[in-house]
Amino acid sequence: MKNFNKIFPADIISDMLTRLPTESVLKSKLVCKTWKDLIHHPSFPELHLTRLNHPDSTDSGKLRYVFLNSSDDDDYNKHVCYFEYNDEEDWNYAKPKHRKIMLDTELDSYIVIGSFNGLICIYGTSHMPEAGPAIIFNPMTKEYVVLPEFDCYPEYKTKGSITIQYHHLACGFGYLPETNEYKVVRIYELGGDPDFIEVEVYTVGSCNGWRHVGKFGFGFPFDTHYQQTHGVFLNGCLHWRNTEGGMVMVFDLADEKFRDHISPPPMLMDTDDDEEEDDDDFPVIGVSGGGFLYYAVCHSFEGRESDGVWLLMKENDDHVMNESEEHQSWGWIKARSLDQREPFAFLEGGTVLRYDQGNVKIFLSSTSTWENLVNFSAISRQVYPHKHTLVSLKVLGEENVEIMKSQQ
């Protein structure tokens, strides 16, 4: 190894290491001190991430998804997990991997609200109506940071002689590649003022904590279904489906302001009035692998006729929406081949994944059939694409970074 290090300059060795899968890079740290120092250099994680995102990456064919899964049929004992399979292999021979991520946290219950560049964000739900705190972690580097809790904890905040109650409404997590910023958003309302919401944003590594970015009013209450209070991130914006009229509320993460909302698909516009929604039958929104926002009706029982899946596309065009376009020029197009149960991932080449009573199923476009891919006890509806990276919270600027004690 000493001869190898003498033959090749440090920059050449570093370039070689950036081309390895993340798991191999971690093993390479054990080879010698020179390699360990190169991998621990602050610039290495970004260079490695750039390689991972290249279409010719050795990791490009692996598809990973992170989610919450119940253990031993205990719906309250949930763990962050991920599964992966190689999309370049024949699905008959591919063996999906399933792994539990052991995170040392005092949160009694939480949801996954996003995964970007290997950083996973979970959001506590055990302190409702306040909710929080949020935790961001990288299962590969084992780094994690706990964001500050809601500043009006436990339930009330006194302002003068008036006691004000805060109600948590929604949250979200997104990444802006132009500025390399990871942002967490939380939305709440003040008691007695349901037509206005307050929004706070936490920028990872900024050392500014939670920033209050504004008070917004829409003329109607901001209300999401309790199973989808997490925002869907696409094209620099977080999206929430409002139970009031079924419209999609859009928050621009760069400008930190709301855009005009998006109306629901035509067939659903009259079905989401003020009636309480059925837990076993409700619309959801998500993001396709090709970059489309989709709107689907979830049915929890077999034998129920589906209302289909809609994709938000430009009228008379098949291109993906970009940030410069106005929503008014876009419309919902029904994906008739997906008149099935709720999808959670749209992949390249027409591949679709969905959850169905304990099974993750894959849609084979070649035969137009659904086949079982892997079985879980109780997967949540919050499923996000995930990749293994070396992105460091310390390098991003977080000061109170801790290390996960154990992982299996």
Side-chain angles (χ1 to χ4, degrees):
M1 185 53 62
K2 291 182 178 179
N3 292 333
F4 182 90
N5 291 337
K6 289 181 179 179
I7 295 173
F8 295 97
D11 58 339
I12 299 298
I13 298 176
S14 179
D15 183 73
M16 292 178 179
L17 293 173
T18 61
R19 299 171 186 270
L20 297 176
T22 304
E23 294 88 340
S24 298
V25 173
L26 294 176
K27 294 178 181 178
S28 298
K29 293 196 302 182
L30 305 177
V31 172
C32 63
K33 185 178 184 301
T34 299
W35 288 20
K36 181 179 179 180
D37 291 342
L38 290 174
I39 294 170
H40 282 175
H41 192 279
S43 64
F44 187 89
E46 183 177 354
L47 294 172
H48 183 255
L49 178 62
T50 301
R51 295 289 190 188
L52 284 180
N53 290 333
H54 193 278
D56 296 332
S57 167
T58 56
D59 216 39
S60 61
K62 292 182 180 179
L63 303 173
R64 296 187 180 95
Y65 297 89
V66 64
F67 58 94
L68 285 181
N69 190 41
S70 299
S71 301
D72 301 323
D73 298 324
D74 180 2
D75 192 48
Y76 294 97
N77 184 18
K78 295 182 181 295
H79 299 278
V80 179
C81 302
Y82 72 81
F83 74 90
E84 69 177 50
Y85 75 100
N86 197 327
D87 191 41
E88 296 177 349
E89 299 177 1
D90 188 320
W91 76 272
N92 286 292
Y93 302 100
K95 296 181 179 180
K97 297 179 181 178
H98 171 212
R99 184 176 182 181
K100 182 189 299 183
I101 301 173
M102 301 301 293
L103 177 65
D104 183 33
T105 172
E106 296 181 355
L107 294 180
D108 295 328
S109 62
Y110 53 84
I111 58 175
V112 178
I113 65 172
S115 174
F116 298 96
N117 295 333
L119 296 183
I120 302 171
C121 184
I122 63 175
Y123 201 87
T125 60
S126 57
H127 297 305
M128 298 298 285
E130 291 78 19
I135 297 177
I136 300 175
F137 65 99
N138 185 332
M140 289 290 100
T141 65
K142 298 186 180 181
E143 291 182 341
Y144 75 95
V145 61
V146 181
L147 306 192
E149 292 194 46
F150 206 73
D151 60 6
C152 62
Y153 182 83
E155 290 188 22
Y156 301 96
K157 184 174 183 180
T158 301
K159 189 174 183 180
S161 59
I162 303 176
T163 299
I164 304 173
Q165 185 176 8
Y166 288 67
H167 297 281
H168 182 272
L169 298 174
C171 56
F173 180 50
Y175 171 67
L176 300 174
E178 298 82 3
T179 54
N180 193 35
E181 291 180 306
Y182 300 83
K183 294 185 178 184
V184 184
V185 175
R186 61 186 181 193
I187 299 176
Y188 58 94
E189 68 178 26
L190 304 181
D193 197 6
D195 289 340
F196 290 90
I197 61 172
E198 311 281 342
V199 180
E200 293 186 350
V201 176
Y202 185 99
T203 302
V204 175
S206 67
C207 300
N208 293 325
W210 289 98
R211 297 176 292 105
H212 185 272
V213 299
K215 181 176 181 179
F216 302 89
F218 310 104
F220 51 82
F222 183 102
D223 185 25
T224 62
H225 192 281
Y226 76 95
Q227 291 198 32
Q228 201 175 28
T229 58
H230 55 287
V232 173
F233 186 75
L234 175 66
N235 294 328
C237 296
L238 284 165
H239 303 72
W240 294 270
R241 178 191 164 275
N242 204 36
T243 56
E244 182 79 18
M247 63 196 68
V248 179
M249 315 303 292
V250 185
F251 184 78
D252 191 308
L253 210 57
D255 295 338
E256 298 180 347
K257 296 180 180 179
F258 277 91
R259 292 185 177 182
D260 293 338
H261 63 260
I262 304 172
S263 298
M267 293 180 63
L268 300 180
M269 292 186 69
D270 299 326
T271 62
D272 298 308
D273 295 329
D274 297 329
E275 299 180 4
E276 184 177 352
E277 295 182 343
D278 188 341
D279 293 341
D280 298 319
D281 183 3
F282 66 93
V284 295
I285 59 174
V287 179
S288 70
F292 295 97
L293 185 72
Y294 73 76
Y295 203 118
V297 178
C298 173
H299 297 314
S300 298
F301 297 104
E302 293 284 5
R304 296 287 299 275
E305 181 179 354
S306 174
D307 293 320
V309 177
W310 284 264
L311 302 178
L312 185 63
M313 303 172 66
K314 191 173 182 179
E315 296 178 0
N316 301 319
D317 200 350
D318 291 330
H319 294 93
V320 180
M321 180 177 68
N322 59 60
E323 298 176 36
S324 62
E325 294 285 347
E326 294 294 333
H327 289 308
Q328 288 80 355
S329 63
W330 294 79
W332 296 103
I333 306 298
K334 191 172 184 180
R336 299 187 181 278
S337 62
L338 300 177
D339 288 353
Q340 303 280 344
R341 298 161 69 85
E342 179 192 4
F344 66 73
F346 289 75
L347 314 178
E348 299 296 336
T351 303
V352 182
L353 300 180
R354 67 182 175 93
Y355 174 70
D356 187 358
Q357 296 185 341
N359 294 304
V360 172
K361 295 189 175 183
I362 183 171
F363 181 75
L364 303 179
S365 56
S366 58
T367 60
S368 298
T369 59
W370 292 93
E371 302 291 345
N372 284 338
L373 185 64
V374 65
N375 178 268
F376 296 108
S377 56
I379 191 173
S380 70
R381 287 190 175 97
Q382 303 135 14
V383 183
Y384 300 90
H386 176 70
K387 64 177 63 177
H388 292 335
T389 76
L390 298 172
V391 173
S392 170
L393 290 167
K394 289 183 179 179
V395 173
L396 288 172
E398 281 296 318
E399 297 179 341
N400 300 315
V401 176
E402 300 182 57
I403 303 298
M404 298 162 61
K405 293 181 179 180
S406 62
Q407 185 176 346
Q408 69 180 43

